[in-house]
Amino acid sequence: MPKPTAKEIRAALRSLADPGIAEHSQRFFKTGPGEYGEGDRFLGLRVPEVRRIARQFREASLPTCLQLLRSPFHEERLWAVIFLTEAFKRADAGAREQIYHAYSNNLSHVNNWDIVDISAPHIAGGWLQDKDRSPLHRWARSANLWERRIAIIATHHFIRRNDFCDTFALGDMLLHDREDLIHKAVGWMLREVGNRDRGAEEEFLQPRYRHMPRIMLRYAIEKFPEDRRRAFLQGKA
Protein backbone atom coordinates (compact mmCIF):
# COMPACT_ATOMS: atom_id res chain seq x y z
CA MET A 1 0.00 0.00 0.00
CA PRO A 2 1.53 3.39 -0.95
CA LYS A 3 2.49 5.72 1.86
CA PRO A 4 0.54 8.96 2.32
CA THR A 5 1.90 11.93 0.43
CA ALA A 6 2.44 15.48 1.63
CA LYS A 7 -0.28 16.58 -0.81
CA GLU A 8 -2.82 14.21 0.80
CA ILE A 9 -1.92 15.36 4.32
CA ARG A 10 -2.15 19.01 3.35
CA ALA A 11 -5.55 18.41 1.72
CA ALA A 12 -6.83 16.75 4.90
CA LEU A 13 -5.66 19.68 7.02
CA ARG A 14 -7.12 22.25 4.65
CA SER A 15 -10.46 20.46 4.59
CA LEU A 16 -10.89 21.45 8.26
CA ALA A 17 -9.54 24.98 7.95
CA ASP A 18 -11.61 27.68 9.61
CA PRO A 19 -10.85 31.33 8.74
CA GLY A 20 -12.28 32.53 12.06
CA ILE A 21 -9.96 30.26 14.05
CA ALA A 22 -7.06 31.30 11.82
CA GLU A 23 -7.71 34.98 12.53
CA HIS A 24 -7.86 34.34 16.28
CA SER A 25 -4.66 32.28 16.14
CA GLN A 26 -2.85 35.09 14.32
CA ARG A 27 -3.48 37.27 17.37
CA PHE A 28 -3.04 34.59 20.04
CA PHE A 29 0.37 33.51 18.73
CA LYS A 30 1.66 37.10 18.42
CA THR A 31 2.35 37.19 14.68
CA GLY A 32 2.59 40.96 14.31
CA PRO A 33 5.76 42.91 13.42
CA GLY A 34 8.37 42.53 16.15
CA GLU A 35 6.36 39.90 18.05
CA TYR A 36 7.69 36.42 18.78
CA GLY A 37 5.56 34.74 16.09
CA GLU A 38 6.09 37.38 13.44
CA GLY A 39 5.09 36.14 10.00
CA ASP A 40 3.57 32.83 11.13
CA ARG A 41 0.54 31.81 9.05
CA PHE A 42 -2.49 29.77 10.11
CA LEU A 43 -5.02 27.54 8.42
CA GLY A 44 -7.39 27.58 11.40
CA LEU A 45 -7.47 24.14 13.06
CA ARG A 46 -7.77 23.10 16.70
CA VAL A 47 -5.02 20.90 18.16
CA PRO A 48 -7.29 17.81 18.55
CA GLU A 49 -8.06 18.00 14.83
CA VAL A 50 -4.37 18.11 13.98
CA ARG A 51 -3.75 15.14 16.28
CA ARG A 52 -6.52 13.17 14.59
CA ILE A 53 -4.98 13.79 11.17
CA ALA A 54 -1.58 12.75 12.55
CA ARG A 55 -3.13 9.44 13.60
CA GLN A 56 -4.89 9.10 10.26
CA PHE A 57 -1.58 9.42 8.38
CA ARG A 58 0.69 7.69 10.87
CA GLU A 59 2.19 5.59 8.07
CA ALA A 60 3.68 8.63 6.32
CA SER A 61 7.42 8.55 5.65
CA LEU A 62 10.00 10.69 7.42
CA PRO A 63 10.80 12.68 4.24
CA THR A 64 7.09 13.45 3.83
CA CYS A 65 6.92 14.59 7.44
CA LEU A 66 9.86 16.92 6.89
CA GLN A 67 8.04 18.53 3.97
CA LEU A 68 5.27 19.46 6.38
CA LEU A 69 7.74 20.58 9.06
CA ARG A 70 9.21 23.09 6.60
CA SER A 71 5.81 24.59 5.80
CA PRO A 72 5.03 28.28 6.34
CA PHE A 73 1.71 27.18 7.91
CA HIS A 74 1.68 26.66 11.65
CA GLU A 75 -0.71 23.70 11.68
CA GLU A 76 1.37 21.81 9.12
CA ARG A 77 4.46 22.22 11.29
CA LEU A 78 2.38 21.23 14.31
CA TRP A 79 1.19 18.14 12.44
CA ALA A 80 4.83 17.26 11.72
CA VAL A 81 6.03 17.45 15.33
CA ILE A 82 3.00 15.49 16.57
CA PHE A 83 3.76 12.87 13.92
CA LEU A 84 7.45 12.77 14.94
CA THR A 85 6.60 12.56 18.64
CA GLU A 86 4.21 9.66 18.17
CA ALA A 87 6.59 7.89 15.79
CA PHE A 88 9.42 8.30 18.31
CA LYS A 89 7.35 6.61 21.01
CA ARG A 90 6.76 3.57 18.79
CA ALA A 91 10.25 3.36 17.27
CA ASP A 92 13.22 1.15 18.01
CA ALA A 93 16.61 2.69 18.87
CA GLY A 94 17.73 3.04 15.25
CA ALA A 95 14.55 4.78 14.14
CA ARG A 96 14.60 6.99 17.23
CA GLU A 97 18.07 8.19 16.36
CA GLN A 98 16.89 9.00 12.84
CA ILE A 99 13.90 10.95 14.18
CA TYR A 100 16.05 12.85 16.68
CA HIS A 101 18.51 13.91 13.99
CA ALA A 102 15.70 14.91 11.62
CA TYR A 103 14.25 17.02 14.42
CA SER A 104 17.51 18.59 15.62
CA ASN A 105 18.61 19.39 12.07
CA ASN A 106 15.37 21.31 11.46
CA LEU A 107 15.05 23.37 14.63
CA SER A 108 14.55 26.53 12.62
CA HIS A 109 11.07 25.17 11.81
CA VAL A 110 10.26 24.23 15.44
CA ASN A 111 9.42 27.85 15.93
CA ASN A 112 6.48 28.59 18.17
CA TRP A 113 5.89 27.70 21.80
CA ASP A 114 3.22 25.04 21.24
CA ILE A 115 5.33 23.31 18.58
CA VAL A 116 8.29 23.34 20.98
CA ASP A 117 6.35 22.19 24.03
CA ILE A 118 4.66 19.26 22.30
CA SER A 119 7.89 17.87 20.88
CA ALA A 120 10.98 18.85 22.89
CA PRO A 121 10.51 16.62 25.96
CA HIS A 122 9.69 13.52 23.95
CA ILE A 123 12.18 13.80 21.10
CA ALA A 124 15.12 15.87 22.39
CA GLY A 125 14.71 14.82 26.01
CA GLY A 126 13.81 11.24 25.14
CA TRP A 127 16.84 10.71 22.93
CA LEU A 128 19.35 12.47 25.18
CA GLN A 129 18.16 10.82 28.40
CA ASP A 130 21.07 8.38 28.53
CA LYS A 131 23.47 10.27 26.24
CA ASP A 132 25.68 13.34 26.12
CA ARG A 133 23.35 16.27 26.78
CA SER A 134 25.67 18.95 25.46
CA PRO A 135 23.27 19.77 22.57
CA LEU A 136 20.86 21.19 25.15
CA HIS A 137 23.56 23.44 26.58
CA ARG A 138 24.52 24.56 23.08
CA TRP A 139 20.89 25.38 22.24
CA ALA A 140 20.53 27.28 25.53
CA ARG A 141 23.30 29.61 24.34
CA SER A 142 21.66 30.15 20.95
CA ALA A 143 20.55 33.57 19.76
CA ASN A 144 17.33 31.85 18.65
CA LEU A 145 14.49 32.08 21.18
CA TRP A 146 13.01 28.73 20.19
CA GLU A 147 16.27 26.80 20.51
CA ARG A 148 16.65 28.18 24.03
CA ARG A 149 13.09 27.13 24.86
CA ILE A 150 13.66 23.66 23.37
CA ALA A 151 16.71 23.27 25.62
CA ILE A 152 14.90 23.93 28.90
CA ILE A 153 11.59 22.26 27.96
CA ALA A 154 13.44 19.09 26.87
CA THR A 155 14.49 18.62 30.51
CA HIS A 156 10.88 17.84 31.42
CA HIS A 157 11.69 14.30 30.29
CA PHE A 158 14.50 14.12 32.85
CA ILE A 159 12.44 15.72 35.62
CA ARG A 160 9.83 12.97 35.28
CA ARG A 161 12.66 10.58 36.16
CA ASN A 162 13.77 12.65 39.17
CA ASP A 163 16.85 13.91 37.33
CA PHE A 164 17.10 17.67 37.88
CA CYS A 165 20.73 18.51 37.16
CA ASP A 166 20.25 19.82 33.63
CA THR A 167 17.13 21.75 34.55
CA PHE A 168 19.13 23.61 37.20
CA ALA A 169 22.18 24.10 34.97
CA LEU A 170 20.12 25.42 32.07
CA GLY A 171 17.97 27.45 34.45
CA ASP A 172 21.13 29.22 35.59
CA MET A 173 22.17 29.86 31.99
CA LEU A 174 18.75 31.32 31.18
CA LEU A 175 18.17 33.13 34.47
CA HIS A 176 18.57 36.57 32.92
CA ASP A 177 17.29 35.80 29.44
CA ARG A 178 15.68 38.77 27.71
CA GLU A 179 12.54 36.88 26.60
CA ASP A 180 9.38 36.48 28.65
CA LEU A 181 8.70 33.10 27.01
CA ILE A 182 11.99 31.82 28.44
CA HIS A 183 11.20 33.19 31.90
CA LYS A 184 7.90 31.28 31.83
CA ALA A 185 9.54 28.10 30.54
CA VAL A 186 12.25 28.08 33.22
CA GLY A 187 9.70 28.81 35.93
CA TRP A 188 7.47 26.02 34.64
CA MET A 189 10.31 23.48 34.71
CA LEU A 190 11.32 24.56 38.21
CA ARG A 191 7.70 24.08 39.29
CA GLU A 192 7.80 20.57 37.81
CA VAL A 193 10.92 19.87 39.88
CA GLY A 194 9.11 21.14 42.97
CA ASN A 195 6.16 18.86 42.28
CA ARG A 196 8.56 15.96 42.83
CA ASP A 197 11.07 17.42 45.29
CA ARG A 198 10.22 20.81 46.73
CA GLY A 199 13.38 20.80 48.83
CA ALA A 200 15.52 20.56 45.69
CA GLU A 201 13.60 23.39 44.06
CA GLU A 202 13.92 25.62 47.11
CA GLU A 203 17.64 24.93 47.33
CA PHE A 204 17.95 26.21 43.76
CA LEU A 205 15.71 29.21 44.39
CA GLN A 206 17.19 30.44 47.67
CA PRO A 207 20.32 32.18 46.31
CA ARG A 208 18.55 33.31 43.13
CA TYR A 209 14.92 34.19 43.74
CA ARG A 210 15.46 37.83 44.69
CA HIS A 211 17.02 38.67 41.34
CA MET A 212 15.28 36.28 38.93
CA PRO A 213 12.56 37.68 36.65
CA ARG A 214 9.31 38.06 38.55
CA ILE A 215 7.27 35.95 36.12
CA MET A 216 9.84 33.15 36.38
CA LEU A 217 9.53 33.19 40.16
CA ARG A 218 5.73 33.26 40.04
CA TYR A 219 5.65 30.23 37.76
CA ALA A 220 8.21 28.40 39.91
CA ILE A 221 6.34 28.83 43.21
CA GLU A 222 2.79 28.58 41.90
CA LYS A 223 2.10 25.29 43.75
CA PHE A 224 3.77 26.29 47.03
CA PRO A 225 1.62 26.63 50.18
CA GLU A 226 0.25 30.17 50.27
CA ASP A 227 2.36 31.36 53.21
CA ARG A 228 5.55 30.06 51.60
CA ARG A 229 4.62 31.49 48.23
CA ARG A 230 3.99 34.89 49.81
CA ALA A 231 7.34 34.77 51.62
CA PHE A 232 9.16 34.26 48.31
CA LEU A 233 7.25 37.06 46.62
CA GLN A 234 8.04 39.41 49.50
CA GLY A 235 11.72 38.51 49.53
CA LYS A 236 11.49 36.90 53.00
CA ALA A 237 11.82 33.20 52.20
Side-chain angles (χ1 to χ4, degrees), residues 4-233:
T5 66
K7 183 178 180 180
E8 290 170 332
I9 298 164
R10 287 186 171 118
L13 290 166
R14 281 163 172 71
S15 73
L16 299 173
D18 182 320
I21 294 173
E23 183 179 354
H24 174 267
S25 296
Q26 293 282 149
R27 296 191 301 272
F28 182 75
F29 285 97
K30 308 294 185 186
T31 63
E35 294 182 311
Y36 65 73
E38 182 177 358
D40 207 351
R41 298 165 63 187
F42 290 81
L43 297 170
L45 282 84
R46 305 291 189 192
V47 174
E49 295 172 325
V50 180
R51 288 191 179 278
R52 180 171 62 78
I53 294 172
R55 290 193 299 271
Q56 179 182 345
F57 294 102
R58 61 179 283 175
E59 300 304 323
S61 68
L62 186 56
T64 294
C65 173
L66 294 180
Q67 289 184 57
L68 275 291
L69 184 58
R70 294 162 183 159
S71 169
F73 287 100
H74 187 102
E75 292 92 343
E76 293 186 355
R77 302 195 310 281
L78 180 63
W79 180 92
V81 296
I82 291 171
F83 174 91
L84 289 174
T85 297
E86 295 304 315
F88 188 91
K89 292 175 184 177
R90 301 190 302 269
D92 60 23
R96 285 186 170 198
E97 181 174 15
Q98 196 175 19
I99 291 167
Y100 166 75
H101 286 299
Y103 180 80
S104 61
N105 290 334
N106 285 277
L107 292 187
S108 61
H109 304 288
V110 184
N111 58 354
N112 217 314
W113 59 263
D114 59 330
I115 295 173
V116 169
D117 296 357
I118 281 172
S119 58
H122 300 287
I123 300 173
W127 178 251
L128 296 172
Q129 168 66 38
D130 56 355
K131 298 174 182 67
D132 174 17
R133 298 177 185 176
S134 61
L136 300 182
H137 295 257
R138 184 173 70 252
W139 298 336
R141 292 189 293 270
S142 171
N144 183 284
L145 160 65
W146 305 116
E147 290 189 12
R148 301 198 305 277
R149 187 169 175 108
I150 288 165
I152 189 65
I153 297 295
T155 70
H156 200 180
H157 185 88
F158 313 147
I159 294 168
R160 293 190 192 110
R161 289 151 183 80
N162 296 313
D163 176 356
F164 311 139
C165 293
D166 288 278
T167 303
F168 292 152
L170 296 173
D172 257 339
M173 291 174 65
L174 298 168
L175 200 65
H176 300 295
D177 196 275
R178 63 188 179 276
E179 295 286 351
D180 183 70
L181 281 172
I182 300 300
H183 303 167
K184 292 176 180 177
V186 173
W188 172 21
M189 291 303 103
L190 292 175
R191 184 176 73 226
E192 291 298 327
V193 170
N195 288 343
R196 290 156 179 80
D197 187 337
R198 208 181 92 202
E201 184 190 0
E202 288 211 26
E203 186 176 349
F204 178 85
L205 288 174
Q206 277 295 344
R208 300 169 178 84
Y209 79 94
R210 288 186 178 90
H211 57 267
M212 66 169 42
R214 195 69 166 176
I215 191 66
M216 185 185 295
L217 177 61
R218 286 186 178 278
Y219 269 58
I221 63 175
E222 185 179 6
K223 298 294 181 66
F224 281 19
E226 181 55 29
D227 58 342
R228 193 67 179 145
R229 194 182 71 83
R230 193 180 308 114
F232 271 97
L233 291 174

